[in-house]
Amino acid sequence: MTIEEVQVVSDNNDFEINSVLEEHISTKNHEELMKALSVSVEESGKGNFHQGIHTPSAKAPSHWYRRKLTGWLHHHLVPEHFRLAVEKKFGVFIVLRDTNEYHYEEMPIYTRIGMHLLFVGHHYHEKFVDSSMMHRLFLHESLKQGTYFTDPKSVSQIPSFINHYSIDMTDYVQQDISAYANFNEFFIRAIRPEVRPIADPNNLDVLVSAADCRLNVFHHITEATEYWIKGKKFTLANLFQNEDLAKSLDGGSLAIFRLAPQDYHRFHSPTRGTVQSISNIEGTYFTVNPCTVREELDVFTENHRQIIQMKDYKDRPFAVVAVGALLVGSIQLTNAKNEGATLDKGEEMGYFQYGGSTVICVFGKDTVHWDQDLTKNSTLSFETYVRMGERIGTFI
């Protein structure tokens, strides 16, 4: 298979994926889809950024589509080519909190290929049977990409990545891209504190976003499984692999922070808290894109993750779960790496090396009230784009 077979084209704003790859998806050709994923990773390793993993699944127009929210996102509100993009799972709509607008985000080609390897074909909804084969493939490609991005030669990817995602480097501590030793060092770049102020820093009852992310919040796990997480095995016990912790947070509130590759990739404490324990759970590297989370795939309970059990300033338990995903190199803890460490609200906990990823925060029953705009969007099955440090709710 050549790279041309996994590239995506757009003609007169009508979204369409290359017919060869689309045929592999529609015919459920697992072998060719696995080759396509490997090719996209290989091309990135050669320095062909725009022909590799970040080739878009559908090339968006020069300006992403936005529309003021007037209720549910009805079909007649969306141009035909965007509707096709969503139906074909080329990308997703999110809500921009600042302006209350819908915003279309394209999906990188590797995400779409990996997604269809898990459930081949939008119309068939059939799951890939040999999960061990998928695990080996995703692990192999994730490790291969991680190895390349720690190579000094990978710095050649930085300028095209910045251009592709329109990243404003003035937001970051190190703005000189020539100062980064490799791509991963750039990927985990530190942000300037003044561009991510912490909401009400002296009010410990105000909760803040743990990351620059697409956010869903739910007052109870049953809401999360009704509106968002469709994996059949999603329970707190399966997520934590810790029955005692699950019982202590039973009936609690949930926040899901999804980080895309273009985001600032460090995560922070949503409140003042003290680390009680840290556990590492080995797992696979499924994509955490909403299209997989909202299928009957146990993404969060099967992926590699780290569980940080904490207590808030009122000595109540809560948990922060850092979840790896497809092509994520590793999860590294910084200020939260030691038991007994106390972190201020908004203080850095750790970072994800290359790839998309997710942080899940779970609080005890009847202890949190999420902000109304976030809960409204979440119950409509939309994520809201928020920045690290923004207010997202309060303790009750």
Side-chain angles (χ1 to χ4, degrees), residues 4-45:
E4 284 75 17
E5 292 180 307
V6 298
Q7 286 182 286
V8 175
V9 296
S10 176
D11 182 20
N12 296 325
N13 284 337
D14 291 323
F15 287 89
E16 54 182 270
I17 193 164
N18 178 278
S19 59
V20 176
L21 179 57
E22 189 66 23
E23 180 181 353
H24 297 333
I25 290 173
S26 63
T27 59
K28 302 168 287 184
N29 192 327
H30 305 132
E31 182 178 349
E32 292 302 321
L33 285 171
M34 287 190 288
K35 289 179 182 178
L37 178 63
S38 296
V39 165
S40 66
V41 174
E42 187 67 28
E43 288 298 317
S44 289

Side-chain angles (χ1 to χ4, degrees), residues 37-87:
L37 178 63
S38 296
V39 165
S40 66
V41 174
E42 187 67 28
E43 288 298 317
S44 289
K46 293 177 182 177
N48 298 329
F49 178 84
H50 291 294
Q51 295 182 343
I53 56 178
H54 284 278
T55 303
S57 291
K59 187 175 181 181
S62 57
H63 297 287
W64 288 345
Y65 178 76
R66 298 184 181 185
R67 185 183 180 92
K68 286 287 185 180
L69 291 175
T70 56
W72 183 259
L73 187 62
H74 295 290
H75 277 352
H76 72 274
L77 298 179
V78 183
E80 175 65 25
H81 55 280
F82 279 100
R83 185 161 68 249
L84 176 61
V86 173
E87 290 174 353

Side-chain angles (χ1 to χ4, degrees), residues 343-368:
L343 283 74
D344 288 328
K345 180 171 68 173
E347 186 172 346
E348 181 186 309
M349 298 186 72
Y351 59 81
F352 297 95
Q353 290 188 326
Y354 182 78
S357 39
T358 291
V359 175
I360 302 174
C361 292
V362 185
F363 296 90
K365 183 178 180 180
D366 298 328
T367 62
V368 169

